[in-house]
Structures are given as structure tokens and as C-alpha cells.
């Protein structure tokens, strides 16, 4: 098939759109990606890219076309708004130009926020009637209200109507979490359009074969959090757990990643003298994750307690499962249920730093064999439910049905 993937984020940015595009190309499909100039998450355009440099590329056989955008900068509300809408505008212009010389069998919209990524795909659909497969990874306008703090009813109603239009225009709505279904159905009768299409882990993590030189880690029972250190991850509760565990110097909490809450973390460590038990490693490429995970005793995942996050299965749950390590989860909803079902770790309610501290202390007392069994349970659950090859095979079936 001739497939167009529309997404604001693509390689060298680290998103599932990369795996999707490269795997579909490897399977013999002709894949084009309409994307932006890479600047996520730091907010600065990556080296080797600019408004005039590398606007069109071939990467692993995939044709990549980059539309202009205003970089995110430091991530303030107005700047992010301009980042979202500037890309949607310029990508729609690119899409119109692209449609004058190309015709596709299917368009896949990969949608972590923002929802406005749908506009360029809609531009092409209006011209060629190309079916759109909308991979919803973030619910709008709920995310705008809860994560973005937008309370204005006129704004929220505007985005609700926008979302309904996009769902109406979609051939299929692909959801990463079964919990998303309720929110989508509240906006219209889309039952026949919804298909479950979960996240997967990168091959570099699930295979565990790639050795990457990482910094030396402290001795002790290593509790590792890897990924975005942002508002949604509830670093406040993690730091409260770390404070309660301060006297247990054998337990080391290791944070691998960066994000908007990192300055809070650094300040908390300094204020409460946690330098001997909490370690911040900084950001590393996805290729380093297998080496980091292998060095950990247990892997930590967390999300704040709110209605949207409770519907979400964080992508790192699949990544952690694939690594064969036990999981410590401070979250509610489907993500916690998956961990319980798999028997691959410990769960505490979202936002409960006190209980998190207790469960970490309990885990540190368990023998290695018990923890290894939990890790293997997670690996087995991942192999049955979340392997990339199976997910992409399912996607091929979905987009070839029309």
C-alpha cells in the first residue's frame, strides 16, 4: 500500500511514529511521513535541521517531508499553542501541495497531543477521499482541561466540536487504551469505528541485546524511573516517598530523563539533603534504556490521579514489561490492572507517596528469585499482548479492510 503518516513528531524525535513508519516500509509498503522540524522536548531545533536544512529526507527508506513550525521554546502556554497551530497550518499547506502530485491508499494520523495534527490529513481527504486512520494517544479536550489547566467553557466547547469533526472524518479510531472508548462514545456514535491498537516497546529495549555505555550507578536496591519528568508523572509524590525512605540508605531512587519538573526535583533533593539516596542521571537516547533497565532492581512508573490519566496506560508500562524487570506502579486504572493481571510487580493508588514508600521498602526485602519471577511474568505478558510485530500486523489488517 501507499501510506502517508501525518504526525508533528518523527525521527530523530523519539515517538512510536518512528517504529510504525520503519516497520511498514520494511514490510514492503511505500511510506511517506509528513512531520515537523524536530525540536521536542527541549524546544530547540535539533542540530542538522533548520527552516531550510533537511526539509526532505529519506530515512530507512521512508520519505520524510518536514513542514515549518514555531519551536516549543521553554514550553510556556502561549508558545506551545503557537507550536501546535503553526505546524498544523504549514503542514496543511504542504499537504495540499503533496496531494497535487501524490495519491495515497491510507492516511494514518499519529496523535499524541495536539489534536490539531489531524488538519493536514483532512486537507488531503477532502481532495482525494483518502481514508484516515486516527491513532488517538491523548484525549481532547479532556487533556487540555486537566493537563493544560484550561477551564474556559467556550474554548473547551470549541475543541469538543473539533474532536467530533475529526472522529466523523475518520475511517477508524485507533485507541491505545480500552479506557478511551467511554470518552470517545460520549462525543458520538463511533462504536463501529473504534479499534484497540496498543503501544509497544522499542526493539532496543525488548530484545535487551544492545549494550550502551551508561554512567556508574550507586550500590544498593535500585528503584529506577525512566522517561519524561513532567507534571503528569507526579514527581511530588515520588519525592515524598523518597523523603520517607531517606533513612533507608540502601534504597536508591534513580531518575533517568528530563522534563519540566526536573528543577523541582533538584530543589527538593537539595532542600531535604537526599543526595545519598536520590540520583538524577539526565536524558539518554532510547538505545541506552536496555542497559539502564538491566542495572535496576525494580522499575517505577507513576501518573497523577485524575479522570484522564486513570484511563491511560503509560507507554513505559509496556517498555518495562518487555525488559523482564519487576514494576513498581503508582497509578490507577487500566495500567495498574495490567500489572496486576500480569503478576509483574506492585501497585499503589495514584498520588499515595506514603504507600509507595512502604511498598518500595517491602520490595527491597524480597529475595532476588521472587523479583525475577515477577519480571519474567511481565515479559511473558508483553510477548502475548504488546509485541510490535503483532501490533503492526493488526494495523495492516485494519487499514486494508476498506
Amino acid at each position: 500500500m501507499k501510506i502517508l503518516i501525518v504526525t508533528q513528531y518523527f525521527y530523530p524525535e523519539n515517538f512510536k511514529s518512528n517504529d510504525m513508519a520503519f516497520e511498514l516500509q520494511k514490510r514492503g509498503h511505500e511510506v511517506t511521513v509528513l512531520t515537523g522540524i524536530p525540536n521536542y522536548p527541549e524546544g530547540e531545533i535539533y542540530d542538522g535541521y533548520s527552516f531550510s536544512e533537511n526539509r526532505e529526507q529519506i530515512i530507512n527508506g521512508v520519505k520524510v517531508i518536514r513542514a515549518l513550525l514555531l519551536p516549543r521554546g521553554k514550553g510556556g502556554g502561549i508558545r506551545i499553542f503557537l507550536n501546535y497551530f503553526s505546524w498544523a497550518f504549514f503542514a496543511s499547506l504542504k499537504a495540499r501541495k503533496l496531494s497535487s502530485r501524490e495519491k495515497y491508499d491510507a492516511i494514518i494520523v499519529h496523535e499524541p497531543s495536539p489534536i490539531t495534527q489531524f488538519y493536514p490529513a483532512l486537507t488531503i481527504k477532502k481532495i482525494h477521499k483518502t481514508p484516515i486512520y486516527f491513532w488517538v494517544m491523548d484525549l481532547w479536550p479532556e487533556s487540555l482541561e486537566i493537563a493544560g489547566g484550561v477551564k474556559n467553557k467556550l474554548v473547551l466547547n470549541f475543541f469538543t466540536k473539533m474532536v467530533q469533526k475529526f472522529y466523523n472524518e475518520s475511517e477508524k479510531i485507533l485507541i491505545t487504551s480500552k479506557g478511551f472508548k467511554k470518552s470517545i462514545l460520549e462525543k458520538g456514535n463511533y462504536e463501529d469505528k473504534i479499534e484497540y491498537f496498543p503501544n509497544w516497546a522499542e526493539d532496543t529495549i525488548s530484545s535487551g541485546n544492545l549494550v550502551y555505555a551508561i554512567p556508574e550507578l550507586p550500590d544498593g536496591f535500585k528503584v529506577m524511573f525512566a522517561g519524561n519528568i513532567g507534571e503528569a508523572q507526579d514527581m511530588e509524590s515520588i519525592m515524598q516517598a523518597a523523603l520517607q525512605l531517606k533513612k533507608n540508605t540502601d534504597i536508591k531512587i534513580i531518575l533517568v530523563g528530563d522534563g519540566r519538573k526536573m528543577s523541582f526535583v533538584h530543589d527538593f533533593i537539595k532542600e531535604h539533603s537526599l543526595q545519598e539516596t536520590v540520583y538524577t542521571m539526565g536524558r539518554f537516547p532510547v538505545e541506552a534504556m536496555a542497559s539502564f533497565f538491566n542495572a535496576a532492581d525494580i522499575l517505577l512508573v507513576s501518573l497523577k490521579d485524575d479522570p484522564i490519566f486513570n484511563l491511560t496506560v503509560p507507554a513505559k508500562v509496556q517498555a518495562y514489561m518487555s525488559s523482564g524487570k519487576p514494576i513498581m506502579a503508582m497509578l490507577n486504572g487500566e495500567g495498574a490492572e495490567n500489572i496486576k493481571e500480569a503478576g509483574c510487580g506492585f501497585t499503589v493508588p495514584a498520588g499515595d507517596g506514603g504507600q509507595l514508600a512502604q511498598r518500595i521498602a517491602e520490595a527491597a526485602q524480597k529475595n532476588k528469585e521472587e523479583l525475577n519471577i515477577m519480571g519474567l511474568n511481565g515479559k511473558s505478558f508483553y510477548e502475548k499482548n504488546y509485541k510490535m510485530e503483532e501490533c503492526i500486523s493488526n494495523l495492516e489488517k485494519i487499514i486494508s479492510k476498506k
Side-chain angles (χ1 to χ4, degrees):
M1 297 178 71
K2 194 169 181 178
I3 300 167
L4 176 67
I5 298 174
V6 175
T7 177
Q8 189 168 330
Y9 314 101
F10 193 69
Y11 185 89
E13 296 164 317
N14 182 29
F15 284 84
K16 290 291 184 285
S17 51
N18 302 348
D19 294 336
M20 176 191 286
F22 299 147
E23 180 66 17
L24 287 170
Q25 182 74 28
K26 191 168 77 173
R27 294 181 181 212
H29 303 287
E30 183 182 336
V31 180
T32 300
V33 177
L34 176 58
T35 188
I37 300 171
N39 70 110
Y40 182 92
E42 291 86 355
E44 297 179 2
I45 293 175
Y46 285 31
D47 289 342
Y49 295 85
S50 69
F51 295 141
S52 60
E53 190 177 8
N54 278 327
R55 293 283 301 282
E56 293 199 10
Q57 298 174 282
I58 302 292
I59 304 175
N60 293 342
V62 173
K63 185 176 183 181
V64 182
I65 300 168
R66 300 186 185 276
L68 293 171
L69 50 69
L70 182 71
R72 295 168 63 90
K74 297 297 183 183
I78 293 175
R79 192 63 183 260
I80 289 181
F81 175 86
L82 292 173
N83 171 256
Y84 289 172
F85 277 89
S86 64
W87 185 79
F89 174 76
F90 287 112
S92 295
L93 295 180
K94 278 277 186 188
R96 182 169 290 279
K97 185 177 179 182
L98 194 59
S99 64
S100 68
R101 64 177 191 264
E102 302 284 355
K103 190 171 182 180
Y104 300 97
D105 299 308
I107 303 171
I108 302 169
V109 178
H110 168 251
E111 184 263 335
S113 280
I115 195 81
T116 48
Q117 291 176 86
F118 198 94
Y119 276 119
L122 186 57
T123 299
I124 294 176
K125 181 185 177 182
K126 294 296 185 186
I127 297 170
H128 292 303
K129 310 298 183 191
T130 313
I132 299 174
Y133 299 86
F134 192 18
W135 191 15
V136 176
M137 307 182 81
D138 207 356
L139 292 172
W140 279 55
E142 294 94 333
S143 291
L144 194 65
E145 181 177 7
I146 294 164
V150 175
K151 303 298 181 186
N152 186 294
K153 293 297 182 186
L154 288 175
V155 173
L156 295 175
N157 287 338
F158 170 80
F159 278 101
T160 297
K161 287 183 171 60
M162 181 188 294
V163 171
Q164 289 171 323
K165 178 177 178 59
F166 294 164
Y167 289 164
N168 288 336
E169 296 285 355
S170 299
E171 181 72 20
K172 291 291 183 182
I173 303 165
L174 314 180
I175 56 174
T176 55
S177 169
K178 293 173 183 176
F180 282 11
K181 189 172 181 178
K182 180 175 181 291
S183 168
I184 293 169
L185 292 179
E186 285 172 352
K187 296 176 179 64
N189 183 18
Y190 305 115
E191 182 75 47
D192 293 341
K193 292 188 176 187
I194 295 173
E195 299 274 359
Y196 179 54
F197 184 62
N199 279 307
W200 55 84
E202 288 79 3
D203 283 346
T204 55
I205 297 172
S206 58
S207 69
N209 295 329
L210 184 65
V211 177
Y212 191 100
I214 62 173
E216 186 176 351
L217 301 180
D219 293 331
F221 185 78
K222 302 177 188 65
V223 182
M224 184 176 291
F225 176 100
N228 184 43
I229 297 174
E231 290 290 343
Q233 285 69 39
D234 195 5
M235 302 313 296
E236 291 86 354
S237 295
I238 291 176
M239 289 298 100
Q240 286 300 324
L243 185 58
Q244 291 188 36
L245 292 165
K246 180 179 178 180
K247 292 181 180 178
N248 193 336
T249 55
D250 185 56
I251 294 175
K252 312 294 186 183
I253 295 178
I254 300 166
L255 307 177
V256 182
D258 202 353
R260 295 171 66 183
K261 295 295 287 188
M262 186 52 86
S263 59
F264 159 79
V265 170
H266 284 148
D267 290 345
F268 195 97
I269 292 169
K270 186 177 180 180
E271 180 183 352
H272 297 281
S273 301
L274 296 175
Q275 292 86 350
E276 298 301 314
T277 55
V278 182
Y279 296 78
T280 58
M281 310 306 296
R283 187 185 303 280
F284 284 81
V286 68
E287 291 80 10
M289 291 305 105
S291 296
F292 272 111
F293 292 174
N294 286 339
D297 292 292
I298 197 164
L299 300 172
L300 174 62
V301 57
S302 60
L303 277 179
K304 281 187 173 179
D305 179 19
D306 73 48
I308 294 305
F309 297 150
N310 293 347
L311 299 177
T312 302
V313 180
K316 66 162 60 75
V317 169
Q318 285 95 337
Y320 285 178
M321 284 181 173
S322 78
S323 74
K325 289 286 182 172
I327 299 172
M328 179 67 65
M330 181 175 61
L331 53 92
N332 297 335
E334 193 173 333
E337 291 305 315
N338 282 356
I339 291 165
K340 291 175 186 175
E341 183 181 349
C344 65
F346 309 82
T347 63
V348 303
D352 195 336
Q355 199 172 149
L356 176 64
Q358 291 175 24
R359 299 310 296 273
I360 289 173
E362 291 172 17
Q365 296 302 312
K366 290 192 176 291
N367 62 51
K368 292 280 188 183
E369 185 60 29
E370 285 183 89
L371 294 175
N372 285 342
I373 289 171
M374 288 181 180
L376 291 173
N377 287 345
K379 182 83 171 177
S380 175
F381 192 86
Y382 171 83
E383 296 284 344
K384 291 176 184 174
N385 297 281
Y386 299 126
K387 273 199 98 178
M388 182 186 74
E389 290 81 4
E390 296 302 320
C391 291
I392 299 299
S393 292
N394 185 37
L395 177 64
E396 286 182 301
K397 291 175 187 173
I398 292 168
I399 66 177
S400 63
K401 282 178 184 175
K402 190 171 187 304

